[in-house]
Every structure is written in structure tokens, then in C-alpha cells.
Amino acid sequence: MSQTAAPARPAPKTTAAKLAGFADSRLGLTGPIKANARKIFPDHWSFMLGEIALYSFVILLLTGVFLTFFYIPSVGLVEYDGPYEPMQGKLVSEAFASTVNMSFEVRGGLLMRQIHHWSALVFVASTVVHMMRVFFTGAFRRPRELNWVIGAVLALLAIVEGFAGYSLPDDLLSGTGLRIASAIILSIPLIGTYVHFFAFGGEFPGEAFIPRLYTIHVLLVPAIFLALIAAHLFLVVLHKHTQYPGPGRTNSNVVGYPLLPVYIAKAGGFFFIVFGVIALISALVQINPVWSYGPYDPSPVTAGAQPDWYMGWLDGAVRVMPGWLEVVLFEWTLSLNILIPAVVIPGLLTTVLVAYPWIERLATGDAREHHLLDRPRNAPTRTGLGVMGLTFYVILWANGGNDILATHLHLSINDITRATGVLMFVAPPIAYVITKRICLGLQRRDRDRVLHGVETGQVFRLDTGEVLERHAPMSAYDQWTLVQHDAYTPIEPGPATDANGVKRKGAWADGITRRLSRFYFEDRVDPVTPAELAAAHSHGDHDAIDAAHGHDALDSGTEVRREVGSGQA
């Protein structure tokens, strides 16, 4: 029996094709690429927030590599002899001198420093805003709880990495921030002193901290970042991307564009837009001029010193606490004026942030997978809680610049601090109530639009003096968007005992679950049901009015609604 050889594949002609064939024959990339090349991603402007965070991180890596070529992580003293004349002949640390030399003597060094710093600010900002989008739209629900935790850890690491980065130049501003960090570490009971001596290599400021901080900044934290970002993107692909509700969009599909070639082309172009905008800002707007601050000296404190924006709320929390709040126990001083605002409050907020998906799941009792996003108005309690947290943050952030506010607005710094102490307790609950009422009002408005249509501004007066207004029906697309969300009701606990009279497992937590569920869903506006929609679209006596008038004042498909009982049109 003769055997016929399989026809040979045509030899690749171009160099790129040859390289692709070489890689595929050894790595087997064709299968995975084909499987994921047509993966669909939804299209919405808010999804670009995560892309901005990713692209600014890439820019940070590129510019950070450049900066490591010229930065010297040492606090050893040298005599400055560079081009900046006000510093000539002064003893400065090698870290400070290398930063100034990088800015004035390295071609493009100052621009690279500016791009690196602005990219860090954009990275933290886009990460935080991306987390806010995830929170307000409910994108953290099952199966994405783990991705929410990863995102929260990334946001916290971004703050730590940013603080470490602007502390490396060893200038007066960064040294003041490190002194505050030293005090925060020392305020931790029992272990604070040991952690401080381990980190700083002795008393503050020490000589070992800058090299250790440099290693953490350029090696340890970026490695953790890369691992977490890779895990985050893997889970996004594994669980598929969430999408906003609309006709044809369900929990089992994704409506959008394929990864190749559409999404890759758009993402590549957007990367260069982000890079270009950051480069333009860096070229035009100066930030962190360390030569103006001078080298760090533990004795003076910079007047009007302000940290980067993401550390401002922590600084404001420390400033609002009274300085006398200290307790001495058995000759040990417990500095509650630092421990509470700088350790306890951030720890509690972080715990609630990480655990929130499970807190809301306990309130809803909903263990289903969710791939459709919520409109924030349809989750009024969650939206109110988010705005309450943001209000608390903004108040403390503003207090972090209370000295600047006092000098520029000609106010008393003591009055600003006292007002902050009151507002941090009063304003967040008020913001919660107002936001929740606005969301409920918007839900009632949506319900009214679905049942009665959109106002046209056209009114008609009957012979009896009654005034009616024409409402045009909404499109099926708009109706679906307004009625598709779930209607949750407060959870009612089950019986305390089972059929055999044995106490049911977990019955002790029923009271907590009931109160939490009532807090979330006692005030609610249910979406329009199909029966309500059919009843609202049956005109009834309005059809008789049309027949009695004998004209087509009311077009087919429109609804007449009584606006005024009687009067003149």
C-alpha cells in the first residue's frame, strides 16, 4: 500500500513571517492566539480608566529605568560643585546631589524626572477613579471579588510606592514626610520601636534608610505590581469583561469589539495619547523642584509643606487630632494623636474596602454571578455609602492644606482645624442622605418615564377646562435600560429551629443580616413590571376623548396625561 505525503506548507517569504513560523513551531502560539484573538471586549469610555492606569504604569517603568542610571542611593555627604550656584560649596547627600545633577547636567534628565513624577500622580489617580467606577457600578460582585481585592491592594501599593519615590531625593520636603512616617511607625504599640529601628537602621534619620527605600522602590514593589497586574488582567479575561445593560446584553454574552484587530489598535493608539498628554504636562508644568527646597536638615520644617495629593488626607487626619491626646501607661507613652488618625482609621477603612463585596452579598443574599453593571441610581444605598466615603476623604484632604487655606483665604488656621473636626463627623452622613434621596428620585423619574413616556411639551384643553399633555413613548432600548435591574427586598430570617426543634446553624447571625438588609433595601423603588407597563399603555378614557374630538390631536402610540385638573391653556 502506497502512502501519500502531506503537501508541504509554502515557505514564508518575509522576515516577519519566518520569525513567526520559527516561534510557532517551537512555542505553539497559534492555538492560544487564535483562541483569544476574537475575544470580545465591550466599548465604553469608563473602561478607559483602567487602561490609563496600566499605560501610566508602563511609562513609570520606562522612565524609572532611565533615572536609575544616574541616581545614587546614598546619604554620604559630598560638596556640591554643580551648575546650580545657590548650592555651590554646600555639603549635601549623594542622593540629593545626584538628583540635582540629573536635573541640570543630564540631557533630558529633568524632563524624565517630570514625566516620572506626573506619571506617578496619574497612575494613582486613575487607579483610584477606576476603583470608584468598579464600586459604583457593582463590578466587584461574584465572580470578581478576588479581582476587587487585587485592585484594592494595587491602590494601596500605588500610594506606598509614590511616597517612597518622592522620598528618595533626600530634599527638605521629602525629609519632612519621612519624619512624619517615622513618627507614625513609632506610635504603634509594642512593635513600633523595633520596626522603626529595622527600617531606619537606628535613630531617625539614619544612614541605611535611603538605600533600603531605593531597593523597595525599584525592585520589590514593582515586582509585586507586575505580578498583581498580570493576575488582574488574567482574571478579567477569565471572567470576561463586564458591560453596561442594554438590549441584547445578558449575563451570558458580551457585546463589543474583538481583541484583534479592533481593540488592540484602539488600545495602542490610546497608549500614545496618554504618553503624549503626560509628556506635554511634564514639559510645561514644573513639579518637585528639589533644588528650591534644599537638602534635608532635621532641624527646620518647610513652611507650607504639602505632600502629593494622595497622601493629603492622611496628613489632614493627623493635623485635625489634638496634640494632647496621649496616654502614659506604666511609663510607656501611647500617642493616640498619631496612632488613631494614621494607623487605626486607615486600617479600618482598608478592612471595610477589601471586605465590601461580602458585606453587600450578606445584605442581598445574592450568590449569583453578575456580568451586567448597575446604574449607580439603581443601588442608592451603595452609591450613598460611596459618596459618604468620598466626602470624608475630601474633608481630610482639604485639612491637609489648612495652612495654605489659612494664608490664601485670610482665615484662622485654628478655625479651619476646628471646622474640620466637626465636618468630618457631620458632612458624610448628610452627603449619604442627600445622595440616596437623589438616587431614589431619579429611579422614580425613570419609572414615570417608562410608564408614561417622555414629555413633549404639547398640551391640550378639553371643553371641560381639563388640560392634558402629550407624552411620546420611549424606545424599546431606553425602556430596557430603565427596567432591567434586579429588585431586592429586605431579607426575612428563617425559623430559629429546624423541623426537629434543633437550633438552626447560623441562626445567631440572622439579626445582623436582617438589620443590614433593611438598611440597604427598606427604602427602594421597584422597577416597572410588564403588567404595570401594559396597564399604563392602555389608554382607556383617553381613546374616548380622541373619538369625541374627532381629530388626530393624539398620534398613535402617544399617551395623554392629566397635568392640571381645570383651568386655561
Side-chain angles (χ1 to χ4, degrees):
M1 179 181 295
S2 62
Q3 295 181 349
T4 303
R9 293 182 179 180
K13 298 180 180 180
T14 63
T15 303
K18 292 178 181 179
L19 291 175
F22 176 84
D24 180 54
S25 63
R26 287 154 179 82
L27 302 177
L29 298 177
T30 301
I33 291 177
K34 284 185 176 180
N36 293 284
R38 303 300 295 174
K39 190 172 184 64
I40 303 300
F41 285 87
D43 192 33
H44 193 272
W45 67 266
S46 65
F47 300 151
M48 292 182 176
L49 297 170
E51 294 184 42
I52 295 174
L54 177 62
Y55 301 154
S56 57
F57 178 73
V58 173
I59 298 171
L60 281 170
L61 292 180
L62 297 176
T63 55
V65 170
F66 177 87
L67 298 179
T68 58
F69 295 153
F70 307 99
Y71 177 76
I72 302 175
S74 171
V75 293
L77 296 178
V78 296
E79 184 177 330
Y80 180 77
D81 60 351
Y84 187 63
E85 292 186 0
M87 295 295 301
Q88 285 287 347
K90 291 187 177 181
L91 288 178
V92 299
S93 67
E94 289 186 278
F96 181 80
S98 63
T99 303
V100 176
N101 291 336
M102 185 193 311
S103 302
F104 293 137
E105 298 188 65
V106 176
R107 188 181 297 274
L110 179 58
L111 179 61
M112 284 295 181
R113 279 194 60 234
Q114 298 260 121
I115 293 177
H116 192 73
H117 201 134
W118 277 111
S119 298
L121 297 181
V122 172
F123 174 64
V124 180
S126 56
T127 300
V128 171
V129 177
H130 176 63
M131 290 285 292
M132 290 167 54
R133 195 276 300 172
V134 172
F135 177 84
F136 285 116
T137 60
F140 54 80
R141 293 172 295 178
R142 183 178 179 185
R144 296 174 179 84
E145 301 97 333
L146 181 58
N147 230 1
W148 169 262
V149 174
I150 292 175
V153 174
L154 283 172
L156 295 175
L157 278 179
I159 295 174
V160 173
E161 180 75 338
F163 176 78
Y166 80 68
S167 299
L168 288 176
D170 198 33
D171 60 291
L172 185 56
L173 179 62
S174 64
T176 302
L178 286 178
R179 190 66 182 104
I180 297 174
S182 168
I184 292 174
I185 296 174
L186 288 173
S187 70
I188 302 175
L190 300 179
I191 64 172
T193 304
Y194 300 99
V195 174
H196 182 278
F197 271 68
F198 174 77
F200 287 89
E203 292 284 354
F204 180 86
E207 297 183 355
F209 186 68
I210 290 295
R212 292 176 181 178
L213 190 64
Y214 178 74
T215 302
I216 293 173
H217 180 69
V218 303
L219 182 62
L220 181 60
V221 177
I224 298 175
F225 263 122
L226 289 172
L228 291 179
I229 290 175
H232 180 78
L233 296 177
F234 171 76
L235 290 176
V236 169
V237 174
L238 178 65
H239 295 147
K240 71 186 179 184
H241 205 293
T242 54
Q243 58 185 343
Y244 285 93
R249 301 175 183 178
T250 66
N251 274 316
S252 58
N253 71 355
V254 179
V255 178
Y257 298 98
L259 180 63
L260 285 174
V262 178
Y263 193 80
I264 288 295
K266 294 174 65 176
F270 191 47
F271 168 77
F272 288 106
I273 292 175
V274 173
F275 203 154
V277 171
I278 292 177
L280 180 63
I281 296 174
S282 304
L284 299 178
V285 183
Q286 179 178 264
I287 190 170
N288 199 25
V290 295
W291 54 89
S292 297
Y293 308 141
Y296 178 62
D297 184 347
S299 57
V301 175
T302 307
Q306 302 296 316
D308 280 343
W309 69 268
Y310 46 84
M311 298 296 297
W313 76 279
L314 189 61
D315 191 17
V318 174
R319 295 187 185 197
V320 79
M321 293 296 291
W324 50 262
L325 195 59
E326 290 186 348
V327 178
V328 179
L329 297 174
F330 305 106
E331 299 182 355
W332 296 90
T333 301
L334 187 60
S335 300
L336 297 178
N337 55 343
I338 299 178
L339 180 66
I340 292 176
V343 179
V344 176
I345 292 178
L348 291 176
L349 293 178
T350 301
T351 302
V352 173
L353 178 70
V354 172
Y356 186 82
W358 292 274
I359 295 174
E360 184 168 308
R361 179 175 173 179
L362 183 64
T364 61
D366 186 1
R368 298 173 300 167
E369 290 192 357
H370 291 271
H371 303 289
L372 288 179
L373 299 173
D374 285 335
R375 302 172 76 210
R377 66 181 64 180
N378 293 333
T381 301
R382 180 205 301 153
T383 303
L385 291 174
V387 173
M388 183 174 70
L390 289 176
T391 304
F392 181 77
Y393 170 86
V394 169
I395 290 173
L396 292 182
W397 172 81
N399 192 61
N402 57 3
D403 49 351
I404 302 297
L405 293 176
T407 55
H408 284 66
L409 301 179
H410 305 289
L411 299 173
S412 169
I413 190 172
N414 294 326
D415 291 342
I416 294 176
T417 304
R418 295 189 192 100
T420 301
V422 174
L423 288 175
M424 64 184 292
F425 292 103
V426 175
I430 294 176
Y432 166 78
V433 172
I434 292 175
T435 302
K436 186 173 181 178
R437 302 316 301 178
I438 290 175
C439 289
L440 292 172
L442 291 174
Q443 282 186 280
R444 293 188 182 94
R445 178 174 176 270
D446 290 344
R447 180 182 176 87
D448 186 74
R449 291 174 64 193
V450 172
L451 290 175
H452 303 292
V454 181
E455 296 177 358
T456 63
Q458 299 178 0
V459 294
F460 300 89
R461 188 184 67 179
L462 304 181
D463 295 338
T464 60
E466 183 179 14
V467 178
L468 304 176
E469 181 183 16
R470 174 188 296 180
H471 282 229
M474 300 182 66
S475 66
Y477 182 97
D478 293 333
Q479 283 185 352
W480 173 256
T481 302
L482 299 183
V483 304
Q484 51 74 38
H485 59 281
D486 296 320
Y488 292 105
T489 58
I491 297 175
E492 294 297 332
T497 58
D498 58 17
N500 299 321
V502 179
K503 187 176 181 179
R504 182 170 50 85
K505 185 178 180 181
W508 62 272
D510 286 347
I512 299 175
T513 302
R514 182 179 69 254
R515 285 189 289 269
L516 184 63
S517 184
R518 288 183 62 186
F519 169 74
Y520 268 81
F521 305 115
E522 188 170 25
D523 295 330
R524 66 188 185 276
V525 177
D526 293 330
V528 176
T529 64
E532 290 176 322
L533 187 62
H537 287 183
S538 177
H539 291 265
D541 59 337
H542 297 150
D543 296 332
I545 293 174
D546 292 343
H549 280 258
H551 56 72
D552 57 349
L554 303 175
D555 298 331
S556 175
T558 63
E559 178 178 326
V560 178
R561 191 177 184 190
R562 290 179 173 87
E563 296 293 338
V564 183
S566 62
Q568 300 297 321

